[in-house]
């Protein structure tokens, strides 16, 4: 109960002890909430990793395409120079 009061912003408030049933119920509620927030945070982290991987693969693909285009342009430039020389 003290932890819950601290989370709600009550500092130094006197809290009388709970009976065993109420304490168990409150503990189960806090554990359930922690589990939900933990799973939510994990999902957000995994989604971030997935998006970062997709972004990295997209960037690599664009770099490869640009490299291929530059090589093609250089090849065409050499062919043009050879034709001009003939």
């Amino acid at each position: 109960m003290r932890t819950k009061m601290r989370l709600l912003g009550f500092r130094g408030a006197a809290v009388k002890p709970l009976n065993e049933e109420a304490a168990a119920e409150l503990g189960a509620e806090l554990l359930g909430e922690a589990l939900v927030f933990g799973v939510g945070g994990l999902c957000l982290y995994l989604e971030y990793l997935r998006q970062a991987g997709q972004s990295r693969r997209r960037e690599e693909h664009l770099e490869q395409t640009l490299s291929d285009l530059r090589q093609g342009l250089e090849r065409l430039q050499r062919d043009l120079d050879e034709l001009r020389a003939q």
Side-chain angles (χ1 to χ4, degrees):
M1 190 65 180
R2 274 178 255 165
T3 303
K4 185 175 182 179
M5 295 301 282
R6 283 189 198 118
L7 289 174
L8 293 174
F10 295 106
R11 303 276 183 216
V15 177
K16 58 183 174 180
L18 296 175
N19 62 22
E20 193 171 317
E21 184 180 319
E25 185 178 324
L26 186 58
E29 184 180 322
L30 287 174
L31 183 62
E33 288 178 7
L35 183 64
V36 168
F37 283 121
V39 169
L42 180 63
C43 288
L44 286 173
Y45 178 70
L46 292 175
E47 180 63 21
Y48 169 77
L49 290 179
R50 188 179 73 84
Q51 290 294 327
Q54 278 184 344
S55 177
R56 183 178 35 82
R57 284 190 297 276
R58 190 178 311 124
E59 185 70 27
E60 289 172 356
H61 177 70
L62 287 175
E63 288 177 10
Q64 182 62 39
T65 302
L66 184 59
S67 175
D68 293 344
L69 288 173
R70 284 182 178 154
Q71 289 174 358
L73 182 61
E74 289 172 1
R75 189 180 67 246
L76 289 172
Q77 186 66 38
R78 282 193 307 269
D79 291 345
L80 181 62
D81 290 343
E82 288 176 11
L83 287 173
R84 285 183 180 164
Q86 290 178 358

